[in-house]
Amino acid sequence: MAVPASKMEAAGVPAAYRAWRESRWEEIAGANGKAKVVANGKIIGRDDHTLPGVPGVWSTDEAGALTVTAVEADGVRIDGRTVDGTAEVPAGARLEFPGGRAGFAGGGDGAYGMVVMDPAAVERSGLRGVDAYPYEPAWVFEGRYRQAPPDRRIEVDRLTSPRSTEAILAPVDLVVTIDGTEYVLAVLEDFPGQRLVIFTDETNGTGTPAIGRWLVLPPLPPGSTLSVDFNQATLSHHHLNPSVFVCPLSPPGNHLPMRVEAGERALVHDTPGHHQRKDA
């Protein structure tokens, strides 16, 4: 579970790491926490789109604006007004659905992404923290970005059901030396501006999930040096809601042949019998 700040202070844990743990929990369970996401999807073009468990049919009009078609009984509301027919969804509008769920849509010119959140999802799931290895300064290294071939894409598995593959942009490699050995890890850019190293190691399936973990890194130019802190290795969003977050898996070659006993290990729930499988 998340280590109390007072306990981390007594153990000599850096203040920056304590702040990161707090921000990480906010990312998971805060007002807009990812553990509250119950549906997401893309609406592209004028074809009709539906989202599992979300009422309404979503599309775009001739001008490329986002629209929703619903009947009054569906309970779809845009900025407090109930939709009965087809309505445009203005940029920044607040969407409301039955059960207290709220939605947000962003994009433009005929391509939109939508997220639906349930403010009670965390409480209902019993999620109360993230189990992590104790902070260990020996797992902090200096790394550097090495330029990859132009427009390089790497074919990786994605956690859809059934599994699928996708060629994801991989603009740079992360080069890091651990115990005198240099490792080169492909860096994915699944979303513009996001730099993500998905790696596996010898703890997978026992101490940590079999699907590996993430290092979220800054979007610096090739040749840049950066801190590589495995204490900030995180679980993928997939563990928060497997049906919603169909995350990519580790690219070929992103395996570290050692036990990386640093970073997050598992979600912690209050619900009796509810625990995260290490083989997931």
Side-chain angles (χ1 to χ4, degrees):
M1 69 190 73
V3 181
S6 59
K7 195 168 183 178
M8 287 195 290
E9 282 181 19
V13 176
Y17 177 75
R18 297 198 303 272
W20 178 80
R21 293 286 337 149
E22 291 174 3
S23 67
R24 171 66 176 152
W25 182 243
E26 181 70 17
E27 177 192 13
I28 292 173
N32 294 313
K34 290 181 172 59
K36 297 180 179 180
V37 176
V38 293
N40 65 7
K42 295 179 181 179
I43 299 98
I44 300 175
R46 301 191 64 189
D47 292 338
D48 290 342
H49 297 73
T50 58
L51 276 71
V54 178
V57 177
W58 306 81
S59 185
T60 64
D61 61 18
E62 293 181 356
L66 179 63
T67 66
V68 59
T69 300
V71 298
E72 184 176 358
D74 287 330
V76 178
R77 296 167 64 85
I78 303 174
D79 287 336
R81 295 185 177 184
T82 300
V83 176
D84 189 11
T86 298
E88 182 176 333
V89 181
R94 178 175 174 81
L95 302 169
E96 297 172 85
F97 304 99
R101 293 172 297 163
F104 307 90
D109 298 327
Y112 297 84
M114 191 167 78
V115 174
V116 178
M117 308 186 77
D118 182 346
V122 173
E123 181 179 0
R124 187 166 52 248
S125 72
L127 178 64
R128 64 179 176 87
V130 183
D131 182 33
Y133 288 103
Y135 178 83
E136 176 51 68
W139 281 108
V140 183
F141 306 93
E142 181 179 278
R144 62 181 174 85
Y145 282 152
R146 187 175 73 185
Q147 178 69 61
D151 301 318
R152 179 183 68 170
R153 290 181 177 270
I154 297 177
E155 197 81 18
V156 298
D157 288 338
R158 192 175 278 278
L159 288 164
T160 53
S161 182
R163 290 275 180 93
S164 61
T165 60
E166 182 178 349
I168 299 179
L169 186 66
V172 294
D173 289 318
L174 174 68
V175 181
V176 60
T177 299
I178 303 173
D179 292 335
T181 300
E182 183 178 271
Y183 297 95
V184 179
L185 305 174
V187 181
L188 301 180
E189 192 168 302
D190 198 21
F191 296 98
Q194 179 197 63
R195 292 287 174 84
L196 182 64
V197 167
I198 306 175
F199 71 96
T200 56
D201 69 90
E202 296 301 309
T203 66
N204 299 152
T206 55
T208 63
I211 62 174
R213 292 178 291 165
W214 291 4
L215 282 175
V216 179
L217 300 175
L220 302 173
S224 299
T225 59
L226 65 156
S227 175
V228 181
D229 187 350
F230 284 95
N231 294 288
Q232 295 185 14
T234 68
L235 305 171
S236 75
H237 302 334
H238 178 76
H239 298 293
L240 300 172
N241 192 330
S243 64
V244 169
F245 296 110
V246 289
C247 301
L249 293 176
S250 175
N254 272 27
H255 180 73
L256 294 172
M258 66 196 71
R259 291 184 63 82
V260 180
E261 295 184 343
E264 295 180 349
R265 296 191 287 195
L267 300 178
V268 179
H269 293 83
D270 280 327
T271 307
H274 189 161
H275 63 280
Q276 181 179 303
R277 290 167 44 198
K278 293 295 190 297
D279 59 346

